[in-house]
Amino acid sequence: MMALFRDVAPWLKLLLRRRQQFWLGALLVWVTLLAGLSLLGLSGWFIVSCALAGIALAAGLPSTLDVYVPGGGIRFFALLRTLARYVERLYNHSTVLTLLADLRYRVFGDLTGLDDATLKRQRASEWLSRLTADIDQLNNLYLRCLIPPVAALLTVLVVSGFIAIWLPWVAVVMALVFTLLWLVVTVGFGWIGFGNSYQHVSDQEELRRLVLDQVQASAELRSYQTSGWHRQKIQNLEAVSTENQRRLALKLALGNAFVSAVTGLMLIATLWLGSLAFSAEQVVGPVLVMAVIAVLGMNEVFALLPAAFLKLGASYAAVQRLNALKPLAPVIDMQGLPYRADEHAIQLVSVHYAYPNTMYPALVDVQATLLPHTRVVITGVSGSGKSTLASVLMGRMAPTQGEIRVAGVPPHRLSTESRAEYFAFLTQQTDLFDGTLESNLRIAKPSATDDELWRVLNMVGLEDWVAQQPKRLSTNVGEKGQQLSGGQARRVALARLMLRDPSVVLLDEPFASVDADTAKHLAAALDRWLARRTVIFFVHQTEDAALLAGIDAWWHLDGGRLCTDTTSFSQPQAGAPYE
């Protein structure tokens, strides 16, 4: 129980940041429940009073009854219940949607802080499920496990106190029985259904993964003649999941039956104790009927609680997965650090990096020092470790052994803001979003003026093309830049990079997907923009060494080992081997 509370506490704190909305939502639920009970109780009292008055008049006995006040009360509670229910649903669902947006913002922030190795261990669809399915499970905490129990407990206290005016012993028994029932359907049913609901979430995630594998890897499964085996695996898991859901549904049915049974027994107890009071002339018949009907209406108060708390395990499973998204903890801010030329060098000391569950390390004993304002080219074939080295230099991953210092501090310890300000990285993969050209560029600098956007577009040779488009800067690039050619998308990404003012720039195949003339234009623009910056080019090989102007050293990465020779630099010709 303590572990559950410890894991859930951070998310409850995040939910309860909007505590005013929470209490107002709980108040609306409470008013709705009280209006319904008041309507039942007053209607029962009014019907019996009218019946008794009619019997008295038929028997020739004097009898009076004010039908206007209770009739008005019945109309008032009927309208109040309807209005409160509508406002409660509208307000609480609006609040929940806002809370889910807060949660998704928090989780997305955690995802952006994860290192590259962690992100690559899961599919994009599985990370998406963290933002959708797992967050939706937390909806159960707020909408079903927080507000209804609070409203139910307050309703028990108010109704018991009201009945105590005429039937004190009935009120005492009612308060004790319904308080125990409240504990059973919250704590008890939360414990009873915990394992099944927890397993349900795991089964659904595994099923989702297997079905995606069946679709996305269908060609491979057919080629290895394992499609039938894989489908059978899905069917077996479906059978197990269905059985688990059947057990959960059975417990839910038992929970509803238990609530109805306790409410029915309390109804009998109220009739018995009330009849004793009626025989002793301590209470009149209409009041007794009002108390009995109020007890009957308590079934509605507790009806939703078993289903909510039986799914507590599912919410906890989602919380555990979300808690596992622990990003690297940045603690250092570059602002305010004194500038020293030696501190702004890049130093790699015996750097090793090994991905989990791999036989060979990606980086092995990398030793290098890159002085400020110098340019280095690192070559290597695919799989030699270039992307890993870039991620480690960017602070996206911490080395498993050794030490990296950029500006005197480990890059993975930098705050996200400092890292974004200090570094710029053009990756091999071009990431553009479904939006306008302008919005994709302003990701790098939201305050950029139109003149600045046109300037960087000119630097990458896209100014004339954009000027010819009907919507110019408002031209839509499409999802993942699919409205652009590969070379255009690459240059848009480079233009976005040039809007920033970083100290260290990493460029991975900057001239990929462009023709020779465009590459020369980009090289000249890059040469001017990279002045007074520390630069590392990652390339497979140089077909035209003239594109990489002002290079101070050529390094080579082979099997995770970095070969450096910065003491005697000679620029290679096109196609020549590297030293």
Side-chain angles (χ1 to χ4, degrees):
M1 182 63 70
M2 291 301 298
L4 186 149
F5 179 77
R6 183 177 60 251
D7 291 339
V8 174
W11 301 98
L12 289 178
K13 290 179 181 178
L14 185 60
L15 289 171
L16 295 179
R17 284 181 183 176
R18 301 180 182 272
R19 58 179 59 88
Q20 291 181 345
Q21 290 92 324
F22 169 77
W23 288 117
L24 182 56
L27 178 63
L28 289 170
V29 173
W30 184 54
V31 169
T32 303
L33 292 175
L34 282 183
L37 289 173
S38 300
L39 177 62
L40 283 174
L42 183 57
S43 298
W45 179 91
F46 187 54
I47 291 171
V48 174
S49 296
C50 289
L52 293 177
I55 292 172
L57 290 174
L61 300 175
S63 177
T64 59
L65 177 64
D66 183 0
V67 298
Y68 297 104
V69 173
I74 291 172
R75 292 185 179 89
F76 170 76
F77 287 123
L79 290 173
L80 177 63
R81 183 179 184 275
T82 303
L83 181 62
R85 175 68 71 187
Y86 175 78
V87 174
E88 178 266 321
R89 292 295 174 87
L90 187 66
Y91 182 83
N92 278 332
H93 281 79
S94 175
T95 301
V96 165
L97 291 175
T98 304
L99 291 171
L100 292 180
D102 292 343
L103 292 171
R104 288 194 173 97
Y105 181 81
R106 153 78 182 273
V107 173
F108 187 80
D110 290 343
L111 288 176
T112 58
L114 294 177
D115 64 283
D116 288 356
T118 302
L119 289 172
K120 291 176 181 177
R121 288 188 204 126
Q122 304 287 345
R123 296 177 177 85
S125 60
E126 292 172 335
W127 292 124
L128 181 62
S129 72
R130 299 291 181 272
L131 289 169
T132 54
D134 289 343
I135 295 297
D136 288 340
Q137 285 294 338
L138 294 185
N139 177 27
N140 186 61
L141 283 177
Y142 177 84
L143 201 58
R144 295 181 177 87
C145 293
L146 288 180
I147 290 182
V150 171
L153 190 59
L154 290 175
T155 302
V156 169
L157 296 177
V158 170
V159 173
S160 299
F162 181 73
I163 292 178
I165 298 174
W166 298 280
L167 299 167
W169 284 108
V170 172
V172 170
V173 174
M174 181 184 297
L176 289 175
V177 169
F178 284 129
T179 301
L180 289 175
L181 177 61
W182 184 87
L183 289 172
V184 170
V185 296
T186 54
V187 179
F189 278 89
W191 176 75
I192 290 172
F194 192 90
N196 295 109
S197 58
Y198 187 97
Q199 185 62 38
H200 174 68
V201 174
S202 301
D203 290 344
Q204 293 303 304
E205 183 173 14
E206 182 66 11
L207 273 172
R208 190 182 301 114
R209 184 186 67 81
L210 290 175
V211 171
L212 285 174
D213 285 347
Q214 183 72 34
V215 175
Q216 296 177 349
S218 58
E220 290 82 358
L221 290 170
R222 283 198 300 269
S223 64
Y224 285 98
Q225 298 182 358
T226 55
S227 295
W229 167 81
H230 198 270
R231 284 196 298 269
Q232 186 61 45
K233 188 176 181 180
I234 295 175
Q235 291 172 2
N236 292 340
L237 183 56
E238 282 182 330
V240 172
S241 179
T242 301
E243 176 62 21
N244 182 67
Q245 292 181 59
R246 188 191 66 79
R247 293 177 182 176
L248 192 62
L250 177 60
K251 291 178 180 180
L252 175 59
L254 291 175
N256 292 333
F258 179 75
V259 170
S260 298
V262 171
T263 305
L265 291 174
M266 188 62 221
L267 182 65
I268 295 173
T270 302
L271 280 172
W272 178 59
L273 293 174
S275 62
L276 294 178
F278 181 77
S279 300
E281 298 183 352
Q282 296 175 354
V283 67
V284 295
V287 172
L288 176 59
V289 173
M290 179 179 65
V292 170
I293 293 180
V295 171
L296 187 63
M298 293 298 292
N299 186 74
E300 180 184 356
V301 176
F302 288 92
L304 298 178
L305 297 185
F309 282 88
L310 280 171
K311 295 179 181 179
L312 188 61
S315 298
Y316 183 60
V319 164
Q320 282 189 315
R321 284 198 299 274
L322 294 175
N323 285 343
L325 304 179
K326 294 180 180 178
L328 301 174
V331 294
I332 300 175
D333 196 324
M334 292 295 295
Q335 295 183 356
L337 291 179
Y339 177 84
R340 287 177 50 188
D342 59 333
E343 287 185 348
H344 281 64
I346 298 176
Q347 299 172 313
L348 298 92
V349 181
S350 300
V351 172
H352 291 70
Y353 189 87
Y355 290 96
N357 304 319
T358 56
M359 185 176 297
Y360 301 105
L363 296 177
V364 181
D365 195 26
V366 175
Q367 303 268 3
T369 299
L370 181 59
L371 297 177
H373 310 146
T374 56
R375 301 183 188 181
V376 168
V377 174
I378 298 179
T379 62
V381 299
S382 296
S384 60
K386 298 193 303 299
S387 297
T388 301
L389 180 59
S391 295
V392 170
L393 287 170
M394 281 288 296
R396 294 294 301 163
M397 298 189 300
T400 50
Q401 293 182 33
E403 185 179 47
I404 296 180
R405 289 194 173 272
V406 179
V409 296
H412 67 274
R413 297 281 305 281
L414 289 172
S415 65
T416 303
E417 293 77 12
S418 295
R419 196 184 304 156
E421 181 179 355
Y422 197 77
F423 291 96
F425 184 23
L426 180 69
T427 62
Q428 286 190 34
Q429 177 180 332
T430 302
D431 293 315
L432 297 180
F433 298 92
D434 189 7
T436 64
L437 180 63
E438 178 184 2
S439 63
N440 273 276
L441 290 173
R442 284 207 167 100
I443 291 174
K445 187 179 180 180
S447 62
T449 64
D450 287 354
D451 290 340
E452 290 179 287
L453 300 185
W454 285 109
R455 178 178 59 81
V456 295
L457 288 172
N458 174 265
M459 293 174 68
V460 299
L462 283 176
E463 182 182 26
D464 292 341
W465 177 80
V466 175
Q468 294 172 4
Q469 302 304 306
K471 295 184 179 180
R472 296 164 70 85
L473 290 175
S474 297
T475 300
N476 195 285
V477 302
E479 186 177 355
K480 297 183 179 180
Q482 63 184 2
Q483 299 298 328
L484 309 178
S485 68
Q488 289 172 331
R490 188 71 172 163
R491 284 183 281 166
V492 170
L494 186 57
R496 183 169 58 193
L497 197 75
M498 290 177 169
L499 282 172
R500 302 195 63 82
D501 185 25
S503 298
V504 178
V505 180
L506 283 69
L507 300 171
D508 197 345
E509 300 290 348
F511 308 115
S513 304
V514 298
D515 57 54
D517 292 337
T518 303
K520 291 178 181 179
H521 178 88
L522 291 177
L526 275 173
D527 185 38
R528 295 189 298 271
W529 182 70
L530 293 174
R532 304 292 297 170
R533 305 185 199 275
T534 304
V535 186
I536 302 178
F537 291 93
F538 292 92
V539 296
H540 289 90
Q541 63 180 5
T542 304
E543 296 180 357
D544 186 357
L547 295 176
L548 303 175
I551 300 301
D552 299 294
W554 296 82
W555 297 347
H556 185 67
L557 197 59
D558 184 13
R561 296 182 183 275
L562 185 66
C563 304
T564 65
D565 183 6
T566 58
T567 57
S568 59
F569 164 70
S570 60
Q571 180 174 319
Q573 301 299 318
Y578 295 104
E579 299 179 358

